[in-house]
Amino acid sequence: MLGEYPIEGRRAADIAASIERAVGSGTLEPGHLLPPIRKLAARLQVNPNTVAAAYRVLRERGVVETAGRRGSRVRPAPATTGHHIRVEVPEGVRDVSSGNPDPALLPPLAPAFAAAAARQDRAPVLYGHALLDEELERRARAALDADGVPAGPLAVVSGSLDGIERILAAHLKPGDTVAVEDPGWGRTLDLVPALGLHLAPVGVDDDGPLPDDVARALDGGARALIVTDRAQNPTGAALSAPRARVLRTVLRDHPDTLLVEDDHGHGIVGLPLHPLAGATRHWAFVRSAAKAYGPDLRLAVLTGDETTVDRVRGRQRLGPGWVSLLVQRAVVRLWDDDGFDVSAVAAAYDRRRRALSGALAERGVAAHGRSGLNVWVPVPDETTAVARLLHAGWAVAPGARYRLGAPPGIRITVSTLPEHEAPALADAVAAALAPGPARTYV
């Protein structure tokens, strides 16, 4: 189970810290089974309740997970600094695993930041000044209005995930359950347990979350629901108008649900938005600039009901205080850049995604990718598919990173895949999924 690693401590906090140090250093790897509570208590000569309290702390910190009588294990992606899951790409292999936008389709940042910095040189931002740039607020609100997002106060956060974390923390307490898409964004699947919350998986098809699964999760006690409106990661799902209408009906039957919508695909998707916002008493809508303008901008606009946004702002003031107005003003400059055509960027990604999806369909390979940067391919065995594709010169992302109970799959990022290379990749995928004896690749 744990080899020779010595868990130490007499208090719950010390025992938990000992285990977390081992997880952070890699001595205890993801999947390792921890000793039964009574066995560890006897070894440490402490009360079993002390060990139980230590394990509870580790669960709430997102380090371990417990499956009833099967015991407690280190989580697949524990919330420690020592674990960052990534695909290793050997030299000479094409990387279609990253999930990143195409650097060639991002705007230059220097002019926007130079203009924003010149303004700040004339009037430096100091403590106690406004936390939200007026022009960014005006422009963001107008865009949200045009997309049918209900009126509400605005806040600026450091990216989509930062916003989602702050929203969940504003309303939920450890032990509450959050309904999440399955397959879904891997970092969300890590974040929720790290906050001490439980996950309730909700199936997804090309049109978004499945209404029956959502109803089942909410009937089962889930207090929050997280929905990706467009460019869902990893499947590319986009909420359609008919699906949105059905989901709004489901949510009206659960008015106390905290609804969180993620529109990180804004700017890279040509499909219209069909928001669910306003279907419940407490809701929040997060729109990131990362995919269209650059991941390092770390800026997202957040709106919602007054209570939710007020709580997010209040907690933010106690921590970082605000998102740099230099960054806010640079983003406004990027929005004003006549030389950068967001619709052309969205069209380019759409062509690349359609090229691969079409090539896969011609070869009889089922795939999903209605919007965004990725195509999701169901596979019978992820390990075999990933290994065969690596041998063929293509690095893809295994689906285990993005799913709870959903069937196996692989995620292929098309953002840097030229259309003329789609047939070659589709050939490799079809060959990787063909039945045959297992092979060992060196």
Side-chain angles (χ1 to χ4, degrees):
M1 287 186 295
L2 292 176
E4 297 302 317
Y5 178 75
I7 298 176
E8 301 173 336
R10 301 282 299 172
R11 301 179 305 159
D14 296 333
I15 297 169
S18 174
I19 295 172
E20 189 165 6
R21 281 195 300 272
V23 173
S25 68
T27 306
L28 296 184
E29 299 179 348
H32 259 126
L33 183 66
L34 299 183
I37 289 174
R38 292 190 177 278
K39 183 176 181 179
L40 181 57
R43 185 194 307 174
L44 298 177
Q45 297 182 334
V46 299
N47 191 297
N49 289 337
T50 302
V51 176
Y55 283 10
R56 183 169 61 251
V57 168
L58 293 169
R59 285 198 304 273
E60 292 176 354
R61 288 181 55 79
V63 178
V64 306
E65 58 188 7
T66 300
R69 294 183 178 180
R70 289 180 291 175
S72 297
R73 294 180 181 272
V74 179
R75 294 191 65 247
T80 67
T81 57
H83 291 271
H84 301 280
I85 296 177
R86 63 180 182 180
V87 176
E88 296 294 337
V89 182
E91 186 176 353
V93 172
R94 285 291 306 280
D95 184 6
V96 288
S97 69
S98 71
N100 276 307
D102 184 354
L105 295 180
L106 297 175
L109 300 181
F113 272 91
R119 176 180 173 184
Q120 304 236 132
D121 285 344
R122 294 190 300 270
V125 176
L126 302 175
Y127 296 114
H129 285 190
L131 308 182
L132 186 59
D133 180 73
E134 291 182 0
E135 182 63 11
L136 181 137
E137 181 177 22
R138 185 187 68 79
R139 295 279 296 277
R141 185 67 261 174
L144 293 168
D145 290 343
D147 281 334
V149 179
L154 264 68
V156 176
V157 291
S158 298
S160 292
L161 199 67
D162 179 51
I164 292 170
E165 177 177 7
R166 292 180 183 282
I167 296 159
L168 296 178
H171 283 283
L172 305 183
K173 62 182 185 304
D176 287 341
T177 298
V178 180
V180 296
E181 297 159 338
D182 183 21
W185 191 15
R187 293 186 66 193
T188 299
L189 302 185
D190 295 339
L191 170 67
V192 172
L195 294 174
L197 307 170
H198 300 300
L199 295 163
V202 170
V204 178
D205 65 12
D206 291 338
D207 293 325
L210 302 177
D212 288 347
D213 284 12
V214 173
R216 188 178 303 112
L218 300 183
D219 288 341
R223 292 198 56 210
L225 169 67
I226 302 175
V227 175
T228 309
D229 290 311
R230 301 177 286 191
Q232 199 262 9
N233 190 353
T235 70
L239 202 60
S240 65
R243 179 62 54 80
R245 284 195 293 271
V246 177
L247 289 174
R248 289 179 71 87
T249 299
V250 172
L251 289 167
R252 278 195 290 269
D253 291 335
H254 299 83
D256 294 326
T257 300
L258 172 62
L259 171 65
V260 184
E261 288 184 271
D262 175 12
D263 190 32
H264 71 265
H266 178 66
I268 62 165
V269 177
L271 295 176
L273 180 74
H274 300 290
L276 304 175
T280 59
R281 293 190 183 97
H282 295 301
W283 59 274
F285 182 97
V286 187
R287 172 169 284 178
S288 170
K291 294 296 190 296
Y293 297 95
D296 196 41
L297 287 173
R298 314 313 307 145
L299 183 142
V301 173
L302 182 155
T303 188
D305 68 274
E306 291 190 5
T307 298
T308 298
V309 177
D310 185 61
R311 290 179 181 179
V312 167
R313 286 172 171 171
R315 184 62 185 86
Q316 190 179 41
R317 290 190 193 99
L318 297 177
W322 70 92
V323 172
S324 167
L325 266 76
L326 178 67
V327 176
Q328 294 185 41
R329 290 164 179 170
V331 168
V332 172
R333 289 283 181 167
L334 291 169
W335 289 345
D336 286 334
D337 185 356
D338 293 333
F340 181 66
D341 187 348
V342 177
S343 62
V345 171
Y349 288 138
D350 188 57
R351 288 193 302 271
R352 295 171 190 181
R353 193 183 60 258
R354 288 177 181 273
L356 179 59
S357 296
L360 290 170
E362 290 172 0
R363 290 154 179 79
V365 177
H368 303 274
R370 187 162 172 250
S371 64
L373 306 180
N374 303 298
V375 170
W376 177 258
V377 181
V379 299
D381 181 81
E382 290 177 10
T383 302
T384 300
V386 170
R388 287 180 173 178
L389 282 164
L390 196 63
H391 180 72
W394 301 93
V396 302
R401 180 72 180 86
Y402 309 97
R403 58 188 183 85
L404 298 170
I410 56 174
R411 191 194 72 174
I412 302 174
T413 299
V414 301
S415 57
T416 59
L417 182 72
E419 295 165 60
H420 69 270
E421 291 190 6
L425 177 51
D427 284 339
V429 173
L433 301 188
R439 297 175 59 186
T440 300
Y441 300 105
V442 179

